[in-house]
């Protein structure tokens, strides 16, 4: 019996131990290859920073830091290779790193350019792989690709870089020289003076000599060892399926296709009701667009609300004409929702423009092909009132044209007249005609008989 208990307890312990390394569907932390080294045996978390710096990365890193804290990790390694990105997002990530109670190491194995250098400078230690670089943090307009020359913005960004450098006793002038073209910075350690028009970017060897790197490490495991930790319990925070899907959906080409599919699909379904497929594709396009931007951290709940209000307003306009007011409000709400859900207004402007133009072309083609099934046919009377269907047409009054009669009632302007012994509904031609006046018929338009007074 004791033997069975021992076997059962061993199996339970094995399952619990194995569960730490076999993540369930949707989990994001995975064990890396173990390399046993002498050092502190705390848990080490590796968080990759290997994409453009935008709000999606911020959300991903927040999750990584929260998981590391919940696991009582002793060290967080930021594995950096990024061309840079949004400064505001880099500031948020920098604050996240500074406020963490867990020791942090920035391991640069590619480029820590622009905003990436700011993120690295906020870490407790910086280690670099051979051939990597840090710096080149000048401000660039994301839309035009040109340098930003606004002195206030440059001064602000320089102060942020300098402050991050000073956190760990680094030369703040070097950090400022990474952003300011006009500065002159002397670096005697590497026998180099930055002149006006240059931007500082440091190789791994140069960074080591000027104090912008603690060690040169060939691998992240080496960096962990140099930091004084064992590589026995190393976990890497991986992107979830949703995050990977969001990254794909928020790429410019895919985003443009989704907007095109959403705009064209919904409008075609409204114009050609009952078809089904365009409506499904339209809803799917908009849903994927908002889903991707929501998971990436770009879109809030207000963007969905604005979008739904826009769709409802456009539908109401189709059935309750409001002289375009509801349609205008709906269009504005829809566009604002789409724009606010994106990475930035400039990021989505081109995609939205291409999608709208393409959708209009497709809508015109589809409207012509299916014009007999269109929603506009609901407002057109298509039934024919013929004798064959049992309808008796009104007798023609053309024979009364030119005939005279007497007004039976005052004509103001309509009334009754007696013509050829028959009481007929008539209309005076622009004048009041009193009772018992002599009139004659000047025009017959279907059942409308127009008369004038004859003075005798």
């Amino acid at each position: 019996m004791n033997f069975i208990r021992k076997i059962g307890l061993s199996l339970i312990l094995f399952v619990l131990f194995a569960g730490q390394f076999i993540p369930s569907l949707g989990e994001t932390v995975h064990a890396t290859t173990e390399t046993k080294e002498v050092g502190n045996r705390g848990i080490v978390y590796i968080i990759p920073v290997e994409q453009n710096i935008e709000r999606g990365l911020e959300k991903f890193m927040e999750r990584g830091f929260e998981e590391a804290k919940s696991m009582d990790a002793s060290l967080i390694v930021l594995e950096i290779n990024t061309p840079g990105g949004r400064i505001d997002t880099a500031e948020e990530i920098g604050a996240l790193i500074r406020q963490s109670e867990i020791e942090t190491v920035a391991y640069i194995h590619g480029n820590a350019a622009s905003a990436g250098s700011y993120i690295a400078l906020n870490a407790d230690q910086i280690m670099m792989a051979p051939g990597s670089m840090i710096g080149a943090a000048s401000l660039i307009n994301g839309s035009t690709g040109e340098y930003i020359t606004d002195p206030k913005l440059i001064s602000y960004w320089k102060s942020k870089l300098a402050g991050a450098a000073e956190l760990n006793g680094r030369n703040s002038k070097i950090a400022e020289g990474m952003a300011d073209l006009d500065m002159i910075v002397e670096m005697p350690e590497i026998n180099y003076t930055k002149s006006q028009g240059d931007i500082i970017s440091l190789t791994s060897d140069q960074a080591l000599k000027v104090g912008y790197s603690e060690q040169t490490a060939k691998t992240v495991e080496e960096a962990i060892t140099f930091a004084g930790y064992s590589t026995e319990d190393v976990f890497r925070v991986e992107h979830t399926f949703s995050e990977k899907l969001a990254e794909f959906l928020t790429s410019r080409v895919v985003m443009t296709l989704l907007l095109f599919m959403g705009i064209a699909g919904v409008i075609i379904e409204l114009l050609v009701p009952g078809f089904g497929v365009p409506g499904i594709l339209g809803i799917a396009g908009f849903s994927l667009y908002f889903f991707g931007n929501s998971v990436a951290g770009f879109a809030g709940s207000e963007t969905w609300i604005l979008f739904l209000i826009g769709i409802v307003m456009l539908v109401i306009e189709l059935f309750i004409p409001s002289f375009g007011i509801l349609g205008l409000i709906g269009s504005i709400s829809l566009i604002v929702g789409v724009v606010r859900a994106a990475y930035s207004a400039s990021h989505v402007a081109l995609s939205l423009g291409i999608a709208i133009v393409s959708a209009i072309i497709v809508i015109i083609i589809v409207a012509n092909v299916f014009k007999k099934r269109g929603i506009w046919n609901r407002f057109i009377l298509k039934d024919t009132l013929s004798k064959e269907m049992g309808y008796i047409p009104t007798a023609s009054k053309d024979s009364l044209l030119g005939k005279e009669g007497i007004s039976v009632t005052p004509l103001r302007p309509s009334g009754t007249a007696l013509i050829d012994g028959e009481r007929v509904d008539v209309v005076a031609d622009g004048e009041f005609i009193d009772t018992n006046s002599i009139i004659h018929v000047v025009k017959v338009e279907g059942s409308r008989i127009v008369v004038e007074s004859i003075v005798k």
Side-chain angles (χ1 to χ4, degrees), residues 81-367:
N81 181 18
T82 175
R86 293 178 65 102
I87 291 175
D88 55 351
T89 301
E91 290 185 63
E92 295 295 330
I93 294 174
L96 177 68
I97 297 169
R98 292 193 303 273
Q99 294 166 8
S100 174
E101 298 175 356
I102 304 171
E103 184 181 353
T104 53
V105 170
Y107 175 62
I108 303 170
H109 66 103
N111 297 324
S114 191
S117 59
Y118 176 76
I119 291 175
L121 287 171
N122 280 278
D124 297 316
Q125 297 185 66
I126 298 176
M127 300 185 193
M128 299 176 67
S132 58
M133 66 80 68
I134 181 172
S138 54
L139 295 175
I140 296 177
N141 188 311
S143 301
T144 64
E146 298 176 351
Y147 285 112
I148 293 175
T149 57
D150 187 333
K152 291 182 179 179
L153 290 177
I154 293 174
S155 177
Y156 172 81
W157 181 228
K158 281 169 55 180
S159 68
K160 299 299 292 186
L161 286 166
E166 290 170 354
L167 286 174
N168 294 293
R170 308 187 198 279
N171 185 345
S172 61
K173 294 298 180 183
I174 295 177
E176 292 180 1
M178 293 178 176
D180 192 343
L181 286 164
D182 296 328
M183 281 187 67
I184 297 175
V185 182
E186 294 185 358
M187 292 178 282
E189 301 91 341
I190 58 175
N191 193 28
Y192 173 72
T193 299
K194 174 199 172 302
S195 58
Q196 288 185 336
D198 291 339
I199 286 292
I200 295 177
S201 59
L202 303 171
T203 66
S204 57
D205 290 338
Q206 291 171 332
L208 187 63
K209 291 177 181 178
V210 300
Y212 267 59
S213 171
E214 275 67 47
Q215 292 283 349
T216 300
K218 294 181 180 179
T219 64
V220 68
E221 287 79 16
E222 275 192 10
I224 294 170
T225 303
F226 287 145
Y229 290 86
S230 168
T231 56
E232 288 184 356
D233 295 317
V234 177
F235 295 85
R236 177 181 293 273
V237 181
E238 300 285 0
H239 288 277
T240 63
F241 172 77
S242 295
E243 288 169 338
K244 291 178 180 178
L245 179 60
E247 185 177 351
F248 170 74
L249 294 176
T250 53
S251 65
R252 177 157 291 178
V253 174
V254 176
M255 185 170 64
T256 302
L257 290 174
L258 291 177
L259 288 173
F260 161 74
M261 191 166 71
I263 295 169
V266 170
I267 294 179
I268 290 172
E269 182 63 29
L270 291 173
L271 296 178
V272 190
F275 199 64
V277 175
I280 294 172
L281 291 176
I283 293 172
F286 279 125
S287 297
L288 289 172
Y289 171 81
F290 281 99
F291 169 78
N293 284 284
S294 178
V295 172
F298 306 152
S301 58
E302 78 282 357
T303 61
W304 284 94
I305 295 173
L306 286 169
F307 172 74
L308 292 175
I309 290 174
I311 291 293
V312 170
M313 290 291 184
L314 289 175
V315 172
I316 293 175
E317 174 67 26
L318 288 172
F319 295 95
I320 307 176
S322 64
F323 304 101
I325 296 175
L326 292 176
L328 179 61
I329 295 173
S331 299
I332 294 173
S333 179
L334 193 152
I335 292 172
V336 171
V338 168
V339 171
R340 284 184 59 83
Y343 169 59
S344 67
S346 59
H347 186 73
V348 75
L350 180 61
S351 296
L352 185 59
I354 294 173
I356 290 175
V357 172
S358 302
I360 289 173
I361 294 172
V362 172
I363 289 167
I364 291 173
I365 294 172
V366 172

Side-chain angles (χ1 to χ4, degrees), residues 41-61:
R41 295 185 182 276
I43 294 175
V44 178
Y45 261 67
I46 298 175
I47 303 177
V49 184
E50 300 176 326
Q51 64 187 78
N52 288 335
I53 297 170
E54 32 78 12
R55 281 184 286 178
L57 175 63
E58 179 188 350
K59 295 294 182 182
F60 170 70
M61 292 189 66

